[in-house]
Amino acid sequence: MGAAPAIVHALKPPRAEIVLPPETSHAGAEPEKPLYVRARAPDWLPRVLAPVIGLALFVAVWAIIAKAGGRLPDPVSTWHSAVEVFGNPFYRKGPNDQGIGWNVLASLGRVGIGFGMAALVGIPLGFMLGRFRFLSEMAAPVISILKPVSPLAWLPIGLMVFKAANPAAIYVIFVCSLWPMIVNTAVGVRHVPVEYLNVARVLNLSEWTVFRKILFPAVLPYMITGVRLSIGVAWLVIVAAEMLTGGVGIGFWVWDEWNNLNVQHIIIAIFTVGIVGLLLEQAMILLARRFSYE
């Protein structure tokens, strides 16, 4: 019996020895570094390069079209003309000959008055339509018919009623700014959680308290979205309205330069309108982020 363990031990296969590679056999040895390491660009670099490349391509295409067509001013001559225009933007040589600065301020003033009047009417009306279903259903066909109407279609009505170009242009701004604020505010009221209103009903809160404590904080992001859309539409429309009504304004300045066949100033006015609209849009975006609760 004593020989059995020795026989079993003899039949077992020999144990394989694990031999580590030379580079890993020594403890604490560092791995070989690659010959080339790809460095990651900073996060801000693409955000800076992308707009610069886009603007460079735009200017290049503009220069090619201007050189091929011969009628469109090239970027260099337009730049020199812009330096002259903005060198003295607030000159006055008469009621209809003023610098581009005064024209932009006049347009912004009309937009501010018409937009402010639309906010005073549209936001409370949007709260009422969103809060009371009967009023919403009653106003739905009127809003559906009038909202798609082109803003300039209201200009003859404004001229007929007010007998003057300036209040007619403000009236057009008022009409076109009204609908986004009404619709977005009403949608925001309808999206208020039912539980909030049920709690207010149980506590027997007054309608003013419901508006102040529940509806207004919850609807504020929707309302600011409507304000943002309205200000963009208002600035878009005022240029066309001023081209038809005349007076002082960036739209009138564009039309006056066209009558003088000064295409370079028209291009400058186009960029000015775009930059001012971009600044207004960014201001509304910052306001929306300020009152966003997400």
Side-chain angles (χ1 to χ4, degrees):
M1 296 299 291
I7 296 174
V8 172
H9 180 73
L11 293 177
K12 285 184 178 181
R15 181 178 297 177
E17 294 184 0
I18 300 175
V19 180
L20 296 177
E23 62 273 8
T24 60
S25 59
H26 302 285
E30 295 182 358
E32 293 185 0
K33 295 182 179 181
L35 297 178
Y36 171 75
V37 178
R38 184 177 181 181
R40 183 182 178 185
D43 294 336
W44 57 267
L45 189 60
R47 292 196 298 267
V48 173
L49 284 180
V52 172
I53 294 174
L55 289 174
L57 289 176
F58 173 78
V59 173
V61 172
W62 176 10
I64 293 172
I65 295 175
K67 186 176 181 180
R71 294 184 177 182
L72 189 68
D74 61 276
V76 177
S77 62
T78 304
W79 171 258
H80 292 310
S81 181
V83 171
E84 296 178 0
V85 168
F86 289 102
N88 187 16
F90 292 102
Y91 75 86
R92 289 183 186 270
K93 295 182 181 179
N96 294 327
D97 187 8
Q98 301 183 21
I100 190 172
W102 294 118
N103 287 278
V104 171
L105 291 178
S107 298
L108 287 173
R110 294 188 182 99
V111 168
I113 296 173
F115 173 78
M117 294 170 57
L120 291 176
V121 175
I123 292 176
L125 188 58
F127 273 103
M128 294 170 59
L129 296 182
R131 186 80 173 98
F132 305 105
R133 182 171 296 275
F134 179 78
L135 289 178
S136 177
E137 294 178 352
M138 185 174 65
V142 179
I143 295 176
S144 299
I145 293 173
L146 298 182
K147 188 164 69 72
V149 176
S150 172
L152 293 182
W154 297 96
L155 185 59
I157 305 297
L159 292 172
M160 181 186 67
V161 172
F162 298 103
K163 308 294 183 182
N166 189 54
I170 294 174
Y171 165 76
V172 172
I173 296 301
F174 167 79
V175 174
C176 73
S177 303
L178 197 62
W179 312 120
M181 285 189 278
I182 291 177
V183 173
N184 281 273
T185 304
V187 170
V189 174
R190 295 192 190 103
H191 279 78
V192 173
V194 182
E195 292 79 7
Y196 295 176
L197 301 178
N198 290 337
V199 171
R201 194 176 296 111
V202 170
L203 296 177
N204 198 21
L205 299 179
S206 63
E207 195 64 35
W208 171 247
T209 305
V210 172
F211 167 78
R212 187 166 50 92
K213 296 293 187 179
I214 298 176
L215 293 182
F216 186 78
V219 178
L220 194 56
Y222 293 88
M223 187 175 66
I224 293 193
T225 300
V227 169
R228 175 185 167 188
L229 295 174
S230 295
I231 196 69
V233 173
W235 182 246
L236 180 69
V237 170
I238 190 60
V239 177
E242 288 174 346
M243 291 176 69
L244 299 177
T245 58
V248 180
I250 189 65
F252 170 75
W253 196 76
V254 171
W255 192 251
D256 189 54
E257 295 304 321
W258 166 248
N259 291 330
N260 296 329
L261 297 179
N262 196 338
V263 184
Q264 292 176 343
H265 285 187
I266 295 175
I267 297 176
I268 294 170
I270 290 173
F271 280 105
T272 303
V273 170
I275 292 172
V276 174
L278 177 63
L279 294 177
L280 293 174
E281 178 79 7
Q282 292 301 315
M284 291 298 104
I285 290 175
L286 292 176
L287 187 64
R289 290 176 181 174
R290 168 63 180 82
F291 293 101
S292 178
Y293 299 102
E294 296 180 359

